[in-house]
Amino acid sequence: MEKLSAALLGATGMAGQQFIRFLDGHPYFELKVLTASCKNVGKTYREAAKWFVEGEMPAHIAEMTVLETSVDAVRQAAPDVKVVFVALPSGKAKECELECAQAGWHVFSDAGCFRLEPDIPVIIPEVNGDHLQLLHAQRRNRNWTGSIVKNPNCTITGAAMALKPLAPFGLKQVHLASMQAVSGAGYDGVYSMQILDNVIPYIAEEEEKVQQEALKLLGELNEDASAVRWHPMWLSASCHRVPTLYGHLEALFIEFEREVDLDEVKAALKNFRGTPQELKLPTAPYQPLLLTEDPFRPQTRLDRDAGEPDRARGMAAVVGRVRYDEAFREDGRTVLKNRIRLINLSHNTVRGASGNAVLTAELALRQGYVG
Ligand SMILES: NC(=O)c1ccc[n+]([C@@H]2O[C@H](COP(=O)([O-])OP(=O)(O)OC[C@H]3O[C@@H](n4cnc5c(N)ncnc54)[C@H](OP(=O)(O)O)[C@@H]3O)[C@@H](O)[C@H]2O)c1
């Protein structure tokens, strides 16, 4: 397969560096352009980026010159660009992504803008890869040949992966409490004086994103694939910043429409697979969800890099402590068989950001949406 030329906008930040990890040597995409903010334009990538991804900065990437973040700069540097990966702050992404799609380019973006627009797919390939069909409506509605595909918010990504295989049991109500790593706020996001020895009980706009995007992710396409009918469950989130570097850990309290068998629930989680696994996409983990029976797992430090093969490290979510809910009264304990509780962990800059976007681009390419 001939590789498609790609640009990476916002290449120097937390998410941008993870994109480089996944795109360097990629079998489908060749990274030809890197951009950042004006303070870094004209520098080599080595000079511009404070590298914090495991392993060395790839040598040829290190020598690339960082360009201005604009369609003109990208076009001038690489007139054959077809695919654009975006790791920009939402405000800047909003203006750039529209221009990129109008230029006929295919945008795969970590940024939060546009996620709730009806004709813009928000994709976790194993959960709702079929929502890529929205791209036909998007191209009709917006009269462009390019496309915009979004990643969901990093906090809902792991939870949606755990909830998807449970949807056939009838999801009625979900309560989610998150313990989110500092890297989720970006390189300059949280000061050490704020977070060391501390937990911050509020992350601006996070709960709204989680609550809305979950319903779109787990919803179904309407008849003419022009929009998604949101899932009808109630989902309520409380989001918290904790002093870990990477990995968002979540406690989920799930109520079903009816009683469920705990073994069947566990089997559904364990056997969960999607189209990326069927197609053996380059960034697909063999198993997107790993179930642990160890009551002390998943742990952020030990489990955030889960996923095999090596290329897919951090692409698997880990679920543990799957148990029935229970209630106590003076006269004893009642097991609530229509409710379960579990703990879920996923890597926020990998599955919650750049790894997921690259996997989505692979799926879109293989299914003929990109070219
Ligand atoms: N971190 C996560 O876990 C995570 C997860 C999911 C989604 N996201 C999303 O991914 C995006 C990037 O997040 P991040 O954590 O990587 O942030 P970050 O570490 O602050 O990096 C931001 C990147 O955008 C560039 N940039 C900033 N302002 C710009 C401007 N006005 N014009 C051009 N480039 C500009 C920066 O370049 P300079 O280095 O030159 O400033 C840098 O490359 C955000 O939309 C975020 O919400 C992040």
Side-chain angles (χ1 to χ4, degrees):
M1 181 190 290
E2 199 181 330
K3 290 191 188 188
L4 294 183
S5 297
L8 172 56
L9 313 187
T12 47
M14 305 293 302
Q17 294 192 23
Q18 286 288 359
F19 264 122
I20 286 179
R21 173 196 152 197
F22 281 100
L23 291 171
D24 182 45
H26 195 283
Y28 303 170
F29 308 111
E30 186 177 349
L31 204 42
K32 291 197 173 163
V33 180
L34 306 176
T35 83
S37 73
C38 48
K39 72 173 189 256
N40 281 316
V41 171
K43 295 182 185 170
T44 61
Y45 189 75
R46 188 194 305 284
E47 290 165 338
K50 300 179 197 113
W51 188 251
F52 41 76
V53 174
E54 233 178 80
E56 292 293 306
M57 181 187 285
H60 66 285
I61 297 278
E63 298 315 318
M64 285 173 74
T65 301
V66 174
L67 302 184
E68 175 195 290
T69 301
S70 74
V71 166
D72 285 345
V74 173
R75 196 185 274 127
Q76 224 173 355
D80 62 341
V81 156
K82 282 272 191 309
V83 177
V84 177
F85 295 98
V86 177
L88 293 167
S90 199
K92 180 67 183 174
K94 205 167 180 176
E95 68 186 67
C96 282
E97 291 178 6
L98 292 173
E99 287 178 28
C100 288
Q102 274 151 3
W105 299 340
H106 303 285
V107 173
F108 296 91
S109 169
D110 282 349
C113 51
F114 307 130
R115 286 185 189 139
L116 297 183
E117 300 214 359
D119 60 354
I120 303 246
V122 180
I123 302 289
I124 302 170
E126 290 89 342
V127 169
N128 66 334
D130 61 316
H131 290 190
L132 284 172
Q133 289 174 57
L134 288 174
L135 291 178
H136 298 299
Q138 187 189 109
R139 286 172 185 151
R140 273 197 314 273
N141 296 345
R142 297 172 189 255
N143 199 24
W144 61 35
T145 53
S147 54
I148 298 179
V149 179
K150 309 301 291 195
N151 254 358
N153 170 277
C154 50
T155 308
I156 197 53
T157 306
M161 289 171 73
L163 290 172
K164 176 69 178 180
L166 303 184
F169 296 97
L171 297 170
K172 186 175 175 188
Q173 202 167 155
V174 175
H175 295 268
L176 177 157
S178 73
M179 287 145 266
Q180 300 181 215
V182 291
S183 59
Y187 193 81
D188 296 322
V190 188
Y191 295 111
S192 53
M193 281 303 287
Q194 294 171 327
I195 195 67
L196 290 176
D197 187 32
N198 206 8
V199 172
I200 300 172
Y202 174 66
I203 303 173
E205 294 174 27
E206 191 78 349
E207 290 166 3
E208 293 83 346
K209 288 183 197 165
V210 166
Q211 291 168 161
Q212 296 179 87
E213 291 174 26
L215 306 185
K216 183 169 178 180
L217 282 164
L218 295 167
E220 288 182 359
L221 287 172
N222 65 7
E223 287 72 18
D224 63 355
S226 60
V228 175
R229 270 192 226 99
W230 287 20
H231 194 287
M233 71 177 158
W234 285 103
L235 193 141
S236 160
S238 186
C239 294
H240 320 110
R241 188 76 69 198
V242 300
T244 53
L245 282 178
Y246 300 98
H248 291 350
L249 192 89
E250 291 150 3
L252 296 183
F253 302 76
I254 305 167
E255 181 180 345
F256 297 95
E257 301 285 354
R258 53 186 177 275
E259 291 191 352
V260 295
D261 180 287
L262 200 58
D263 290 334
E264 287 178 15
V265 164
K266 289 182 182 179
L269 292 165
K270 209 158 136 179
N271 297 328
F272 178 54
R273 303 283 187 283
T275 316
Q277 285 70 39
E278 279 164 35
L279 294 176
K280 297 189 168 50
L281 296 176
T283 307
Y286 297 143
Q287 265 184 261
L289 266 187
L290 304 175
L291 179 69
T292 171
E293 293 288 354
D294 181 342
F296 291 96
R297 308 286 280 273
Q299 289 183 26
T300 305
R301 187 152 45 87
L302 301 183
D303 297 308
R304 61 190 165 206
D305 289 322
E308 289 185 310
D310 203 43
R311 179 177 165 76
R313 287 182 72 216
M315 287 295 286
V318 185
V319 176
R321 301 207 65 214
V322 181
R323 61 216 193 271
Y324 283 126
D325 205 352
E326 60 187 3
F328 290 90
R329 296 195 197 283
E330 270 179 47
D331 55 354
R333 166 178 179 256
T334 304
V335 174
L336 303 166
K337 291 196 170 175
N338 64 334
R339 296 193 202 174
I340 63 162
R341 292 176 283 178
L342 57 81
I343 302 291
N344 181 65
L345 171 72
S346 66
H347 196 302
N348 54 297
T349 61
V350 177
R351 179 55 94 158
S354 311
N356 190 72
V358 172
L359 184 61
T360 303
E362 293 166 3
L363 180 66
L365 177 62
R366 288 284 293 276
Q367 294 190 328
Y369 292 103
V370 170

